[in-house]
Amino acid sequence: MINSVGREIPDEVLQELTDSYGRKVEGFNGAYYRHNKTYKKAAPTVRGVVDPSEDKLLPSIKAALEKCEIKDGMTISFHHHFREGDYVVNMVMEEIHKMGIKNLTICASSLGKAHDPIVPMIEDGTITGIQSSGVRGKIGEAISNGKLKTTAIMRSHGGRVRAIEEGDVHIDIAFIGAPTCDSYGNMRAVGGKSDCGVLSYAMVDAQYADKVVAITDTLVPFPNQPASISQVDVDYVVVVDEIGNAAKIATGAAKPTKDLRNLMMANYCTQFVINTPYFKDGFSYQTGVGGPSIASTLYLGEIMRERGIKMGLGLGGIAGPMADLLKEGLIEKLVDTQDFDLTAIESVRNNPNHFEISGSEYANPMNKGAYVNRLDFVILAALEVDTHFNVNVVVGSDGVITGAQGGHPDTAAGAKCTIIISPLIRGRIPCVCSDVTTVTTPGETVDVVITDYGIAINPKRKDLIECMKDVKLPFCTIEELRDQAYAIVGEPEKVQFGDRVVGAIESRDGTIIDVVRQVKEYEFAD
Amino acid sequence: MINSVGREIPDEVLQELTDSYGRKVEGFNGAYYRHNKTYKKAAPTVRGVVDPSEDKLLPSIKAALEKCEIKDGMTISFHHHFREGDYVVNMVMEEIHKMGIKNLTICASSLGKAHDPIVPMIEDGTITGIQSSGVRGKIGEAISNGKLKTTAIMRSHGGRVRAIEEGDVHIDIAFIGAPTCDSYGNMRAVGGKSDCGVLSYAMVDAQYADKVVAITDTLVPFPNQPASISQVDVDYVVVVDEIGNAAKIATGAAKPTKDLRNLMMANYCTQFVINTPYFKDGFSYQTGVGGPSIASTLYLGEIMRERGIKMGLGLGGIAGPMADLLKEGLIEKLVDTQDFDLTAIESVRNNPNHFEISGSEYANPMNKGAYVNRLDFVILAALEVDTHFNVNVVVGSDGVITGAQGGHPDTAAGAKCTIIISPLIRGRIPCVCSDVTTVTTPGETVDVVITDYGIAINPKRKDLIECMKDVKLPFCTIEELRDQAYAIVGEPEKVQFGDRVVGAIESRDGTIIDVVRQVKEYEFAD
């Protein structure tokens, strides 16, 4: 079928997912298509611990795998709060591999280069399914080269929670790396040797997995309160030497960019924001961690100071500049699902107005109302954006899976004003094009595209166009941006894909917005 | 059948509950009988709010009832954190009554005298089912007099969470009174006009009810963080003038008792506690709010100060003396499910080592491990205790339902040392007797009974008997206590009950430990 963003979704793929999920999976049909739909939530099968003398501490990951009765065909899960410093995935997979277990599905909140070591386990059939926000590094290459037995599923952060809560995926065993944990399973993200700030994306795993194993390198006295994940959802606790590489989990505060192109785009963005009606005392805002986003936060801070306007809510993955604005009192409350640097981690540990929320609270489209629904602004990046305002953040222009949806489609769907900042050209690749390689965020949820060559407002946002009519910014159409990009670097030839679908890009609501096909060697046209 | 505490549970009652719960309900078979049993958790049917423009604020309770499509036969729920100052139950029931809805089951964490006004709705068939921790006041009388159409079900705090999570009861609509709430449904228990400290017992309602309505008298700016109950579980928000009578929700700090009998029992209790091996740095402790319990906390504080011993964890319903020990630094962490006075409420609002937990975390026997499992000591009261150490806290010696299980059976089952403090005689009624009127906490989980006439240790606790062999306290057997009571006031005649079972006392694990029969007019023996 052809879905509502014009992408062909093969019926076999929809059928494969329908069989796997146990509900009819459809092609994408608009960002708000499933609004108001009711469904019965999924639920885990758990074991009651009535006997108070029972202990949860186990001597090793192997012992936990045995206690959890791991077997072929199970689905296991991980979180990615340790980012490129994560040791947990590899540590657990190594033990599983030694046990000779096959046919596992990994359901991770994200996978990155830190997990390159599991590629051989994809090749030998230990891992036959991958569900993740995205996959960077060698795992992405392996999937794009057709090495994974089943179709990889890429979901947004909100979409992953939805999939688990709706029962599309049932987690048999969740392995949750915890910076600190007590012997009865109460986990916190602050403290210890591998401080990651929050455990937001792992909360749904704890609530919906049959078995939950806490893995920590810092056992603390009971009770480890306030717990991010509670003992009542945890079966076993394992203490290991190190769950992560602290240096790669959190870097120092992000340095402001000095790149003039980035500063220019950041300035455009701030000028745009402050000329909308949403920029007023108490506004809500989310931004990414790229150079232009961070510069834009700094510019915005200056204007807030000048005009005495405070942000009511700062949301999302948090980096230093947002934490600094909170500290200064320019933000009332920061509500956090992921921390990108030491400043943010220190803030969530110490600032009483900086709060951890769950991934469901953040972005699940099928709960009773997520935080993204309350956003005025979100500032996002893109690998590619096209003349339909569709955005691609997962597949490189070479056709290889190399990025992650993250909260991109969630915040875009929720925010009143969704702004994409992207250079017009990256390397020799046009970032504004006629059709993105892969659609990951639908154009109907994207309001503005800011590039170093000009700014395009989505024509459906007549209200924003009206607001900007006297604003001195280089407005143009999205087609003009594309034409300019093509004029500079030429229109790139289409990536050549094979026939096999290797990945499904799932929209946050569980419909399929696009597929990723196996890459093939480039063949010159006759 | 005769269950393991020797009570006859009519097969019809077990069958009625089996039909209602959808699982085979058995008679009580030992406090740890269901340890290690697995089950699939229940789940609500919810509505996805994908559209960010949707609002949750409704103008009235009536509007919320209509939006929730209330109809005959539904189960609705309430919490009791406002205690005798609660307005929410009556307010909601009045609207429902006006709408002419019939055949409702009320599943409340507890009901008290504040809810006397709903008795006519029991009589006219609006309410035909009641599930509660207990029922004081006129509702208890109505049930005991056979006015409720179905068997009332009395559960402990942990047992209620278990019942909801295991699917014995499915809540169609939960009405949650919230001292503060924002327009998107984030509720907190501190702040506002009807500050109740924590919302612990309502958390399970929010997670397992199909529809959730927040009722508040203090609407606050979004986001109301840190939320006790999250927006993602809330459908609608209604603002009313007053949700409670602040003066009856929280009283001033409990005054230390001056009653010499109470002081003596408190002193016995403290002496007992400090002579067990569990009294050491980091011990965990829960106590009630009766005069002897509070005096005992004060005595214990003195000894902790003298010996430099700190409590690691104070648990449970919290009153001023525990909050004071926390403030003084004699307790490391207070973990709280209910607040009994202003001192406790102020403490949970301001003291960073005073934490709110859910009812499941507190006491649910069928999750992966509740806080009660980590208790060293619990100090409890009783209406009656018998020579099998069985305790009754629900039914008065006149046979009328007049109390609540609360956390009594939960903490008794969890704690290493469960101490009952009770005067030997109350009025002209012996509190130690041959057989309690109704068993609510099984004797196997009760270790010590402290009275003003002597102290009996459960013979199965040979270890505690050994510990106390050189301790100068008035030890005796439980039979000696009973005999002494009977010697003073005479052995009371058995209460005369009718045949109809009006209430089931459900053990925390969902088995039936006893039943309550309809009272009948006293008839003199020939």
Side-chain angles (χ1 to χ4, degrees):
Chain A
M1 59 90 65
I2 307 289
N3 70 12
S4 75
V5 288
R7 298 288 158 141
E8 199 212 321
I9 314 297
D11 293 337
E12 312 85 83
V13 171
L14 294 176
Q15 192 56 50
E16 179 190 339
L17 297 177
T18 293
D19 293 343
S20 159
Y21 294 180
R23 67 166 176 90
K24 186 166 167 46
V25 177
E26 302 174 73
F28 180 73
N29 199 11
Y32 308 102
Y33 170 60
R34 293 190 74 208
H35 178 60
N36 251 333
K37 293 274 192 304
T38 59
Y39 64 99
K40 186 174 176 183
K41 282 194 175 179
T45 295
V46 299
R47 185 177 68 91
V49 179
V50 191
D51 181 351
S53 70
E54 186 173 302
D55 204 5
K56 295 187 182 184
L57 266 179
L58 292 178
S60 65
I61 289 173
K62 182 158 187 242
L65 291 167
E66 286 167 353
K67 277 279 205 181
C68 293
E69 299 175 12
I70 190 163
K71 57 173 191 274
D72 293 1
M74 277 188 164
T75 296
I76 62 175
S77 82
F78 300 96
H79 72 77
H80 75 290
H81 288 285
F82 302 128
R83 303 165 67 224
E84 292 301 343
D86 177 56
Y87 289 169
V88 174
V89 171
N90 297 344
M91 208 185 294
V92 171
M93 287 312 304
E94 197 180 317
E95 284 303 324
I96 289 175
H97 193 246
K98 276 190 210 156
M99 291 169 83
I101 306 290
K102 296 286 175 188
N103 240 349
L104 293 183
T105 293
I106 290 187
C107 176
S109 58
S110 208
L111 293 168
K113 290 176 188 163
H115 310 120
D116 285 354
I118 69 170
V119 168
M121 302 183 207
I122 296 172
E123 289 164 345
D124 74 6
T126 305
I127 299 164
T128 51
I130 289 180
Q131 306 185 1
S132 177
S133 168
V135 269
R136 293 186 175 85
K138 291 196 193 306
I139 300 175
E141 289 169 23
I143 294 170
S144 278
N145 283 294
K147 291 186 176 166
L148 186 74
K149 196 173 158 197
T150 63
T151 309
I153 298 164
M154 258 80 67
R155 299 188 177 107
S156 70
H157 289 327
R160 177 177 188 265
V161 178
R162 181 210 58 74
I164 295 169
E165 294 202 352
E166 203 166 343
D168 291 357
V169 54
H170 178 76
I171 300 167
D172 294 295
I173 314 172
F175 299 93
I176 303 182
T180 67
C181 188
D182 64 36
S183 61
Y184 220 46
N186 292 298
M187 301 184 223
R188 297 192 69 199
V190 294
K193 296 186 275 186
S194 302
D195 202 322
C196 62
V198 295
L199 285 173
S200 306
Y201 298 135
M203 293 178 184
V204 69
D205 304 53
Q207 284 164 10
Y208 286 82
D210 290 344
K211 298 282 182 187
V212 175
V213 180
I215 300 177
T216 190
D217 52 21
T218 307
L219 194 71
V220 296
F222 177 86
N224 192 22
Q225 276 280 6
S228 298
I229 289 174
S230 168
Q231 62 183 43
V232 302
D233 291 321
V234 178
D235 293 273
Y236 304 111
V237 178
V238 178
V239 184
V240 297
D241 287 342
E242 280 187 309
I243 55 173
N245 177 341
K248 290 186 180 176
I249 295 169
T251 54
K255 285 202 189 102
T257 181
K258 290 186 177 172
D259 179 287
L260 286 180
R261 187 171 71 162
N262 283 347
L263 290 175
M264 182 169 67
M265 290 191 290
N267 186 41
Y268 290 168
C269 180
T270 305
Q271 289 304 314
F272 193 95
V273 163
I274 65 172
N275 281 290
T276 67
Y278 314 123
F279 183 66
K280 58 183 182 210
D281 212 45
F283 74 103
S284 60
Y285 185 87
Q286 177 168 345
T287 184
V289 287
S293 296
I294 284 183
S296 157
T297 307
L298 299 176
Y299 284 142
L300 191 67
E302 284 171 26
I303 292 168
M304 289 162 68
R305 243 170 252 123
E306 274 169 35
R307 302 196 186 173
I309 287 178
K310 277 190 188 178
M311 192 186 297
L313 166 68
L315 180 66
I318 302 293
M322 290 289 278
D324 290 340
L325 290 183
L326 178 73
K327 197 171 178 184
E328 193 185 331
L330 286 173
I331 301 178
E332 300 276 2
K333 290 181 180 175
L334 268 190
V335 171
D336 185 348
T337 57
Q338 190 174 5
D339 291 301
F340 292 109
D341 57 32
L342 289 174
T343 311
I345 290 172
E346 195 187 299
S347 174
V348 75
R349 188 196 295 121
N350 298 321
N351 194 312
N353 291 312
H354 188 154
F355 305 98
E356 175 184 34
I357 56 168
S358 70
S360 185
E361 289 175 294
Y362 174 44
N364 174 4
M366 292 300 285
N367 66 27
K368 294 174 178 177
Y371 268 82
V372 294
N373 289 358
R374 303 284 97 172
L375 275 176
D376 291 319
F377 302 99
V378 64
I379 318 297
L380 296 165
L383 291 171
E384 298 172 333
V385 52
D386 69 20
T387 49
H388 317 286
F389 288 84
N390 293 324
V391 177
N392 167 26
V393 290
V394 170
V395 179
S397 301
D398 57 354
V400 175
I401 298 169
T402 189
Q405 292 199 51
H408 202 288
D410 301 308
T411 52
K416 292 193 181 73
C417 182
T418 298
I419 300 173
I420 305 289
I421 304 187
S422 170
L424 191 69
I425 293 153
R426 207 181 267 118
R428 291 286 301 162
I429 309 289
C431 296
V432 181
C433 56
S434 297
D435 283 291
V436 289
T437 308
T438 308
V439 183
T440 60
T441 297
E444 66 174 304
T445 64
V446 172
D447 301 308
V448 190
V449 175
I450 293 177
T451 74
D452 42 348
Y453 284 78
I455 300 169
I457 303 177
N458 192 326
K460 86 183 180 77
R461 290 305 300 268
K462 294 196 174 56
D463 57 330
L464 289 175
I465 293 169
E466 180 63 23
C467 284
M468 297 298 153
K469 70 173 192 278
D470 299 322
V471 177
K472 296 277 172 279
L473 282 172
F475 291 108
C476 59
T477 67
I478 191 83
E479 289 80 9
E480 286 168 341
L481 287 177
R482 177 217 34 212
D483 293 346
Q484 191 151 12
Y486 286 0
I488 299 168
V489 293
E491 179 175 352
E493 282 204 57
K494 289 250 176 214
V495 187
Q496 296 182 359
F497 287 104
D499 283 334
R500 187 187 154 201
V501 171
V502 295
I505 307 290
E506 196 170 289
S507 173
R508 61 195 297 253
D509 69 356
T511 59
I512 305 304
I513 196 164
D514 208 344
V515 295
V516 183
R517 289 169 195 273
Q518 188 165 343
V519 288
K520 64 173 183 181
E521 289 296 308
Y522 186 80
E523 290 173 15
F524 287 94
D526 288 335
Chain B
M1 61 87 66
I2 307 288
N3 70 13
S4 76
V5 288
R7 298 290 158 139
E8 199 213 322
I9 313 297
D11 292 338
E12 312 84 82
V13 171
L14 294 176
Q15 192 57 49
E16 179 191 339
L17 297 177
T18 295
D19 293 343
S20 159
Y21 295 179
R23 68 168 176 87
K24 187 167 166 45
V25 178
E26 302 174 73
F28 180 73
N29 199 10
Y32 309 102
Y33 171 59
R34 294 190 73 209
H35 179 61
N36 251 333
K37 294 275 191 304
T38 59
Y39 64 100
K40 184 173 176 183
K41 281 193 176 180
T45 296
V46 297
R47 186 178 67 91
V49 178
V50 191
D51 180 351
S53 70
E54 187 173 303
D55 203 7
K56 294 186 182 182
L57 266 179
L58 292 178
S60 66
I61 288 173
K62 183 160 186 242
L65 291 167
E66 286 166 354
K67 277 281 207 179
C68 293
E69 298 174 12
I70 190 162
K71 57 173 190 276
D72 292 1
M74 278 189 163
T75 296
I76 62 175
S77 82
F78 301 96
H79 72 78
H80 76 290
H81 288 285
F82 302 128
R83 303 164 65 225
E84 291 302 343
D86 177 55
Y87 290 169
V88 175
V89 171
N90 298 344
M91 208 185 298
V92 171
M93 287 312 303
E94 197 178 318
E95 284 302 325
I96 289 175
H97 193 246
K98 277 189 211 158
M99 291 170 80
I101 306 291
K102 296 285 173 188
N103 238 352
L104 293 182
T105 293
I106 290 187
C107 176
S109 58
S110 207
L111 292 168
K113 290 175 188 162
H115 309 120
D116 285 354
I118 68 169
V119 167
M121 301 182 207
I122 295 172
E123 290 165 346
D124 74 6
T126 305
I127 299 164
T128 52
I130 288 180
Q131 306 186 1
S132 176
S133 169
V135 269
R136 292 187 175 85
K138 292 196 192 306
I139 300 175
E141 289 168 24
I143 294 171
S144 278
N145 283 294
K147 291 186 176 167
L148 187 74
K149 196 174 158 196
T150 63
T151 308
I153 299 164
M154 259 79 68
R155 298 185 176 109
S156 70
H157 289 328
R160 178 178 189 264
V161 178
R162 180 211 58 73
I164 295 170
E165 294 202 351
E166 202 165 345
D168 291 356
V169 53
H170 178 76
I171 301 167
D172 294 295
I173 314 173
F175 299 92
I176 303 182
T180 67
C181 189
D182 65 36
S183 61
Y184 221 47
N186 292 298
M187 301 184 224
R188 298 192 69 199
V190 294
K193 297 186 275 184
S194 302
D195 202 322
C196 62
V198 296
L199 285 173
S200 305
Y201 299 135
M203 292 178 183
V204 70
D205 305 54
Q207 284 164 10
Y208 285 82
D210 290 344
K211 298 284 182 187
V212 175
V213 180
I215 300 177
T216 190
D217 54 20
T218 308
L219 195 70
V220 296
F222 176 86
N224 192 21
Q225 277 280 7
S228 298
I229 288 176
S230 168
Q231 61 181 45
V232 302
D233 291 321
V234 178
D235 293 274
Y236 305 112
V237 178
V238 178
V239 183
V240 297
D241 287 342
E242 279 187 309
I243 55 173
N245 177 341
K248 291 187 180 175
I249 294 169
T251 55
K255 287 204 188 97
T257 181
K258 289 184 176 170
D259 180 288
L260 284 179
R261 187 171 71 161
N262 283 346
L263 290 174
M264 182 170 69
M265 291 191 290
N267 186 41
Y268 289 168
C269 179
T270 305
Q271 289 304 315
F272 193 95
V273 163
I274 66 173
N275 280 291
T276 67
Y278 314 123
F279 183 66
K280 58 183 183 211
D281 212 45
F283 74 104
S284 59
Y285 186 87
Q286 177 168 344
T287 183
V289 286
S293 295
I294 284 183
S296 157
T297 307
L298 298 176
Y299 284 143
L300 192 66
E302 285 171 27
I303 291 167
M304 288 162 67
R305 242 168 254 125
E306 275 169 35
R307 301 196 186 171
I309 287 178
K310 277 190 188 179
M311 193 187 297
L313 166 68
L315 180 66
I318 301 294
M322 290 289 278
D324 290 338
L325 290 183
L326 177 72
K327 197 171 177 184
E328 192 185 334
L330 285 173
I331 301 178
E332 300 275 2
K333 290 180 181 177
L334 268 191
V335 171
D336 185 348
T337 58
Q338 188 173 6
D339 292 301
F340 292 109
D341 58 31
L342 290 172
T343 312
I345 290 173
E346 194 187 299
S347 175
V348 74
R349 188 195 294 122
N350 298 322
N351 194 313
N353 290 314
H354 188 153
F355 304 97
E356 176 185 33
I357 56 168
S358 71
S360 184
E361 288 175 295
Y362 174 44
N364 174 4
M366 292 300 285
N367 65 26
K368 294 173 179 178
Y371 268 82
V372 294
N373 288 358
R374 302 285 97 173
L375 274 176
D376 290 319
F377 302 99
V378 65
I379 319 297
L380 296 166
L383 292 171
E384 299 172 333
V385 52
D386 69 21
T387 49
H388 317 286
F389 288 85
N390 293 327
V391 176
N392 167 26
V393 290
V394 170
V395 179
S397 302
D398 57 355
V400 176
I401 298 169
T402 189
Q405 293 200 50
H408 201 289
D410 300 309
T411 51
K416 293 193 180 72
C417 181
T418 299
I419 300 175
I420 305 289
I421 304 187
S422 171
L424 191 67
I425 293 153
R426 208 183 265 120
R428 293 285 302 164
I429 310 288
C431 297
V432 180
C433 56
S434 296
D435 282 292
V436 289
T437 308
T438 308
V439 183
T440 59
T441 296
E444 66 175 302
T445 64
V446 172
D447 301 309
V448 190
V449 175
I450 293 178
T451 75
D452 40 348
Y453 285 78
I455 300 170
I457 303 177
N458 192 325
K460 86 184 180 75
R461 291 303 302 266
K462 296 197 171 55
D463 57 332
L464 289 176
I465 294 168
E466 179 65 24
C467 283
M468 298 299 153
K469 71 173 193 278
D470 298 322
V471 177
K472 295 277 173 280
L473 282 171
F475 290 109
C476 60
T477 66
I478 191 82
E479 290 80 8
E480 286 168 339
L481 287 178
R482 177 216 36 208
D483 293 345
Q484 191 150 13
Y486 287 180
I488 299 169
V489 293
E491 181 173 353
E493 281 202 59
K494 287 253 177 213
V495 187
Q496 294 180 0
F497 288 104
D499 283 335
R500 189 189 152 202
V501 170
V502 295
I505 307 290
E506 196 170 289
S507 173
R508 61 196 296 255
D509 68 355
T511 58
I512 306 302
I513 195 164
D514 208 344
V515 294
V516 183
R517 288 169 197 272
Q518 188 165 343
V519 288
K520 64 174 182 182
E521 290 297 306
Y522 185 80
E523 291 172 16
F524 287 93
D526 289 333

